[in-house]
Amino acid sequence: MSYLLQVDFPMDGPFGDEMAQAFEELANSITEENGFIWKIWTENEDAKEAGGIYLFETKETAQKYLEMHTKRLAGFGITNVNAKIFSINSKLTEITKGPLK
Amino acid sequence: MSYLLQVDFPMDGPFGDEMAQAFEELANSITEENGFIWKIWTENEDAKEAGGIYLFETKETAQKYLEMHTKRLAGFGITNVNAKIFSINSKLTEITKGPLK
């Protein structure tokens, strides 16, 4: 059963194409993380916020990733991180076509 | 370009199969909403929280849904709702296999 990790934080930028260039290498490395299934990269230039929605294979791999990622964000000067790990209601998610693979 | 709506709130239950039964009809109706692409139903019985991650076709349809959904949640007695609408960095999301359809 997969777990969802929801992360967001204040960020001054870069956003958009500049963000994509800055984090391309990081994005590739994330795909190699233990238990990783997918990540959607979120951003809001007006609100100066960014984050990610991740799917992991287990609660433990989501927790370990979050621990590592929180330290990495702190290294970028980002410390005000909102993060929550949820289990998924798969019956309701199937009805609403949520992608769990 | 699709937009992501991230919603979570404190909830006493029901969770799991009971939640699925209680909200099956609602889940079916959500798939008919304007601009709706998919929803993952999130829950955390230990933390007594629940929510959803949604993908919408436009920012406007995400905003309209959130407005309606916030009122609906208030009708269930849920008023302490955290909600954020984000655009998506599609280049980075493609690298990390994020599902945008």
Side-chain angles (χ1 to χ4, degrees):
Chain A
M1 196 168 76
S2 51
Y3 279 75
L4 188 134
L5 168 62
Q6 161 186 321
V7 179
D8 61 85
F9 42 80
M11 190 177 83
D12 287 333
F15 295 101
D17 285 350
E18 232 184 303
M19 184 196 194
Q21 279 191 329
F23 297 121
E24 185 180 340
E25 201 177 326
L26 178 62
N28 277 302
S29 81
I30 288 172
T31 65
E32 305 297 322
E33 294 290 346
N34 206 6
F36 174 85
I37 300 173
W38 55 250
K39 174 183 181 182
I40 294 174
W41 293 65
T42 54
E43 55 176 330
N44 184 336
E45 190 165 358
D46 293 333
K48 297 214 176 299
E49 288 185 307
I53 304 297
Y54 301 75
L55 203 69
F56 280 91
E57 285 168 7
T58 64
K59 192 176 183 174
E60 290 68 29
T61 50
Q63 281 168 332
K64 283 209 169 169
Y65 177 83
L66 174 57
E67 207 173 301
M68 179 277 291
H69 189 51
T70 303
K71 285 179 195 158
R72 179 161 61 195
L73 288 169
F76 296 155
I78 295 165
T79 52
N80 194 4
V81 178
N82 301 310
K84 293 185 178 192
I85 294 170
F86 287 104
S87 55
I88 290 166
N89 193 301
S90 51
K91 286 186 186 172
L92 292 172
T93 298
E94 196 183 330
I95 295 172
T96 54
K97 308 167 197 167
L100 298 181
K101 279 185 236 176
Chain B
M1 196 167 78
S2 51
Y3 279 75
L4 188 134
L5 167 62
Q6 161 187 324
V7 179
D8 61 85
F9 43 80
M11 189 177 85
D12 288 333
F15 295 101
D17 284 351
E18 233 184 300
M19 184 196 193
Q21 279 191 330
F23 297 120
E24 185 181 338
E25 200 177 325
L26 178 62
N28 277 302
S29 82
I30 288 172
T31 64
E32 305 298 322
E33 294 291 347
N34 206 5
F36 175 85
I37 301 174
W38 55 251
K39 174 184 180 181
I40 295 175
W41 293 66
T42 55
E43 55 176 329
N44 184 337
E45 190 164 358
D46 294 333
K48 296 214 178 300
E49 287 185 308
I53 304 296
Y54 302 73
L55 203 68
F56 280 90
E57 284 167 9
T58 63
K59 192 175 184 176
E60 290 68 29
T61 50
Q63 279 169 332
K64 282 208 168 170
Y65 177 83
L66 174 58
E67 207 173 301
M68 179 278 291
H69 189 50
T70 304
K71 285 178 193 159
R72 179 161 62 195
L73 288 169
F76 296 155
I78 295 165
T79 52
N80 194 3
V81 178
N82 301 310
K84 292 184 179 191
I85 293 170
F86 286 105
S87 54
I88 290 166
N89 193 299
S90 52
K91 286 186 188 172
L92 293 170
T93 299
E94 196 184 330
I95 296 173
T96 55
K97 307 167 198 166
L100 298 182
K101 281 185 234 175

